[in-house]
Amino acid sequence: MRLSEATREEIRRLAARYPVARSALIPALLRAQEELGWLPPEAQREVAELLDLPVEAVAEVASFYSLLFTEPVGERVIQLCTNVSCLLNGAEVIRRHLEERLGIRPGQTTPDGRYTLRIAECLAACDQAPCMIVGTERYGPLTPELVDRILFGDGERR
Amino acid sequence: MTERVLLRHVGVPGQEDIETYLRHGGYEALRRALRELSPEDVVEMVDRSQLRGRGGAGFPTGRKWKFVPKDAPVKYLVVNGDEGEPGTFKDRTLLEGDPHLLLEGMILTCYAMGIRKAFIYLRREFYQAYRKLERAIAQAYEHGFLGERILGTDFSCDIVLHPGAGAYIAGEETALLESLEGKRAMPRLKPPYFPAVMGLYNQPTVLNNVETMCCIPWIVKHGPEWWLAQGPPQLYSVSGHVNRPGVIEAPLGTTARELIERAGGVRGGRRVKAFYPGGTSSRPLRAEHLDVPLNHESLAKLGSMLGSGAVIIMDETTDMVQVIARVCEFYREESCGKCTPCREGTRWVTQILDRILHGRGRMEDLDLLESIARNMTGTCFCPLGESVPPSLRAGLEDFRDEFVAYIRGARTPVEMPVRIREGILAPGG
Ligand code: SF4
């Protein structure tokens, strides 16, 4: 998997925003991930070349942050918060519902490659507890019915 | 009830648009500063306002600014938008509700401190805030509030919006700098060097949180005396078992009881059992403390703290063992792994709590938990590890009977019910 010229150009542009190009590493990895869905080793190598960094420096960062995916993920990543305010408002009910409807456990991807379910730490949206982010959209407070609408019904956005 | 200051325009439709912001008096403070005030004047105003950092540590902002060497050729401003302490959502509310307020605060700070380049480190999960800020920054450039020769003066300044990638520890200020430099977010040793002296790229760096920055335009616009007369405003994120969770602006020292009332009361009219007064790194308190003024001094007396003002309300049905176990699990998940007491302590504690929750606990476990809490206190490299003992202590001292009930097999975890509320689909994230 190679990055498109547009993405490569974008990464060069990102690097120019910082006094030190290495600062663009996370934004660059996010950009690459947007294109490929995750960060296969070749993509990490390409980013390393573009930013003139050792590939180890890139791998070290890619493996540290929870939203940089070094393994393939589904088309839509679900981040379900189960932290205190969400826990108090039924996050475990939502977790079980998601597990049942998707037939997977947290950390897994559905066999059709549509969804990856992940447990998120606090999403700083405790006013919407229990809440989740699907792709880049946040939803809450969730009920099992609402989860169904968001994932499978007319509640779906985009 | 005092008038809203920080939240005045949050919730106003279109407030993220520069036209709306301008209609509400936006960028007037910046115009005024550039026309009438010297950079030193602005620093003095902030100092006299007695503004304290709103990221949790509560350090006086003006003093912090004065640590920055005046004559340094290169300095940076970094805004910490990495809010993620469980229970806290005030910065997100400000970012989504009034993004230009943050920008104006940042530009004023850059003017005051002679800074040419500023960064917003925004946690990745704030997708909506990111989109809004991206647009707000572009608008600010179009209107001449950012870029070269701002409003025709000699002052120039750029803001770079920088996404994080999911790491709670990046909120610790030196870890945030590491992350912004393109490395793993691991805290730096300080002292010897504080960010004010040696921060981003080893240059002097002003590091402030979102709420702190949002106070600056108000202080410059109306003056420090006005600001002091306001109270000054304090934001509380109120969540948990209340009917209308949300950010509440109330004077420092408001009690949890008053906040609960303003948040629509306790779910189902139940009684309160306990509450976290300052996020999960503070010691949770019992219902008997509902009338304690939530300020730094009173909470310190109870062995707790105000932190970032995250009040989590738990009603009488709450299982404290589950809550405390979840809190410890959070710190285990987010430990950066740099130092042993935190890396190993969080792991050990969660293993024990898990055992207790699943009916395999032993009475000795309680002593073990106590000794781990003791050994983690004052020995961790950064505040993250120090966030574990307060919950554990409260559990062992104030809610011991619940732990004992689990160990005796008299109790099993119950699933807490989903909150049912009207009009549920929240605007996108
Ligand atoms: S206390 Fe925890 S998060 Fe902080 S440096 Fe040590 S291991 Fe890392």
Side-chain angles (χ1 to χ4, degrees):
Chain A
M1 276 196 272
R2 269 189 73 77
L3 297 174
S4 67
E5 196 40 52
T7 300
R8 297 171 62 84
E9 195 41 51
E10 170 103 21
I11 291 175
R12 286 189 204 102
R13 204 184 52 76
L14 283 171
R17 301 199 309 180
Y18 298 90
V20 176
R22 183 173 180 159
S23 281
L25 181 51
I26 290 176
L29 288 171
L30 288 170
R31 189 66 203 82
Q33 182 165 286
E34 240 161 67
E35 181 171 1
L36 304 174
W38 64 295
L39 295 168
E42 313 89 83
Q44 295 182 35
R45 221 169 5 250
E46 269 194 80
V47 170
E49 265 164 41
L50 285 164
L51 298 180
D52 199 16
L53 291 171
V55 72
E56 294 76 25
V58 175
E60 195 181 285
V61 163
S63 62
F64 184 82
Y65 295 90
S66 64
L67 293 175
L68 295 176
F69 309 135
T70 51
E71 305 276 331
V73 291
E75 282 158 48
R76 298 170 87 190
V77 175
I78 301 170
Q79 302 181 57
L80 174 70
C81 179
T82 60
N83 219 297
V84 179
S85 298
C86 284
L87 175 79
L88 293 170
N89 286 294
E92 289 305 316
V93 176
I94 303 299
R95 179 221 288 256
R96 249 194 315 108
H97 183 74
L98 277 166
E99 288 177 353
E100 266 160 36
R101 286 304 311 259
L102 298 171
I104 52 173
R105 309 264 302 154
Q108 298 178 336
T109 300
T110 53
D112 62 2
R114 292 262 297 151
Y115 298 102
T116 295
L117 176 60
R118 297 178 122 223
I119 299 301
E121 289 304 340
C122 187
L123 296 174
C126 317
D127 47 342
Q128 295 163 10
C131 72
M132 67 176 178
I133 292 178
V134 182
T136 62
E137 301 292 323
R138 186 182 62 235
Y139 302 93
L142 299 170
T143 57
E145 298 72 43
L146 186 60
V147 167
D148 286 349
R149 253 168 60 211
I150 295 162
L151 295 183
F152 313 110
D154 353 303
E156 185 164 2
R157 296 166 166 229
R158 212 194 327 216
Chain B
M1 208 195 308
T2 53
E3 213 193 327
R4 288 173 21 143
V5 177
L6 278 175
L7 293 179
R8 185 171 296 169
H9 299 122
V10 168
V12 172
Q15 181 67 14
E16 70 263 29
D17 196 69
I18 199 163
E19 299 301 336
T20 315
Y21 186 70
L22 289 168
R23 248 198 328 276
H24 289 124
Y27 291 109
E28 265 169 28
L30 180 64
R31 283 184 200 280
R32 167 166 183 230
L34 293 185
R35 216 174 31 231
E36 303 166 13
L37 304 170
S38 71
E40 293 75 27
D41 290 339
V42 178
V43 175
E44 278 314 313
M45 286 173 106
V46 172
D47 199 23
R48 272 192 288 131
S49 75
Q50 296 173 28
L51 175 66
R52 284 168 173 271
R54 303 303 178 86
F59 197 82
T61 306
R63 274 235 317 274
K64 194 161 161 180
W65 287 9
K66 287 180 174 176
F67 286 146
V68 176
K70 263 216 171 87
D71 45 356
V74 186
K75 310 174 219 183
Y76 297 107
L77 166 66
V78 176
V79 171
N80 186 344
D82 198 66
E83 176 178 59
E85 165 101 1
T88 316
F89 46 93
K90 64 186 176 65
D91 291 346
R92 199 206 83 238
T93 302
L94 287 168
L95 288 164
E96 291 176 359
D98 205 355
H100 279 288
L101 183 64
L102 168 69
L103 298 185
E104 188 175 5
M106 289 177 70
I107 303 166
L108 282 164
T109 303
C110 288
Y111 174 66
M113 301 299 295
I115 290 171
R116 186 59 250 254
K117 201 161 186 109
F119 299 89
I120 305 171
Y121 187 102
L122 195 69
R123 73 180 288 203
R124 178 63 172 163
E125 292 84 346
F126 288 177
Y127 298 99
Q128 189 184 33
Y130 193 93
R131 294 191 286 261
K132 288 187 171 176
L133 275 172
E134 213 173 19
R135 181 154 168 272
I137 290 172
Q139 289 177 334
Y141 273 103
E142 279 161 26
H143 281 74
F145 299 128
L146 274 173
E148 299 299 318
R149 306 187 54 81
I150 292 171
L151 300 178
T153 64
D154 293 339
F155 168 58
S156 304
C157 161
D158 290 303
I159 293 181
V160 174
L161 181 58
H162 181 95
Y168 169 70
I169 186 61
E172 194 281 331
E173 58 180 20
T174 60
L176 183 141
L177 294 175
E178 288 286 299
S179 183
L180 187 48
E181 289 181 5
K183 301 174 203 152
R184 287 186 163 197
M186 287 183 163
R188 295 175 184 168
L189 188 62
K190 63 169 188 177
Y193 301 113
F194 286 91
V197 185
M198 208 185 234
L200 188 64
Y201 313 124
N202 289 335
Q203 303 298 330
T205 301
V206 175
L207 232 159
N208 279 127
N209 116 303
V210 169
E211 186 189 344
T212 315
M213 283 287 107
C214 289
C215 297
I216 305 292
W218 294 106
I219 293 170
V220 173
K221 192 166 167 186
H222 300 287
E225 291 71 27
W226 173 88
W227 179 260
L228 281 166
Q230 294 295 309
Q234 168 75 34
L235 297 185
Y236 296 93
S237 309
V238 184
S239 69
H241 291 150
V242 287
N243 285 320
R244 283 196 314 273
V247 180
I248 292 176
E249 183 169 328
L252 195 66
T254 301
T255 66
R257 193 184 301 282
E258 290 166 308
L259 290 175
I260 292 170
E261 207 165 288
R262 285 181 59 181
V266 179
R267 164 185 84 150
R270 292 196 183 84
R271 281 197 317 235
V272 174
K273 175 182 200 165
F275 64 102
Y276 278 97
T280 53
S281 57
S282 67
R283 177 180 175 131
L285 301 174
R286 283 169 299 181
E288 64 189 76
H289 296 125
L290 278 173
D291 294 308
V292 168
L294 299 180
N295 59 38
H296 302 280
E297 300 75 30
S298 330
L299 289 171
K301 259 187 229 143
L302 292 171
S304 192
M305 59 178 185
L306 185 59
S308 48
V311 184
I312 307 174
I313 305 298
M314 295 173 272
D315 75 18
E316 53 199 333
T317 67
T318 308
D319 181 333
M320 290 308 288
V321 184
Q322 278 188 56
V323 168
I324 290 165
R326 185 63 186 88
V327 167
C328 295
E329 189 182 272
F330 170 74
Y331 293 108
R332 180 196 69 202
E333 285 305 302
E334 298 296 335
S335 169
C336 83
K338 180 176 179 130
C339 66
T340 319
C342 170
R343 187 185 60 237
E344 302 297 324
T346 52
R347 199 156 293 268
W348 200 4
V349 159
T350 49
Q351 274 168 5
I352 297 169
L353 290 171
D354 199 61
R355 185 156 83 211
I356 292 175
L357 273 171
H358 290 93
R360 298 192 309 273
R362 301 171 301 229
M363 280 306 170
E364 309 88 85
D365 283 342
L366 299 181
D367 299 331
L368 194 52
L369 285 173
E370 217 164 278
S371 94
I372 303 172
R374 198 169 49 242
N375 282 308
M376 286 181 76
T377 307
T379 56
C380 293
F381 191 83
C382 87
L384 188 146
E386 305 284 335
S387 303
V388 175
S391 277
L392 276 181
R393 291 241 159 76
L396 296 168
E397 288 161 20
D398 299 343
F399 305 101
R400 196 177 187 89
D401 48 335
E402 292 185 47
F403 285 75
V404 170
Y406 265 106
I407 294 172
R408 296 224 167 100
R411 194 166 181 163
T412 47
V414 279
E415 204 162 57
M416 301 180 216
V418 169
R419 174 201 294 162
I420 307 295
R421 222 168 38 151
E422 292 301 306
I424 21 190
L425 196 58

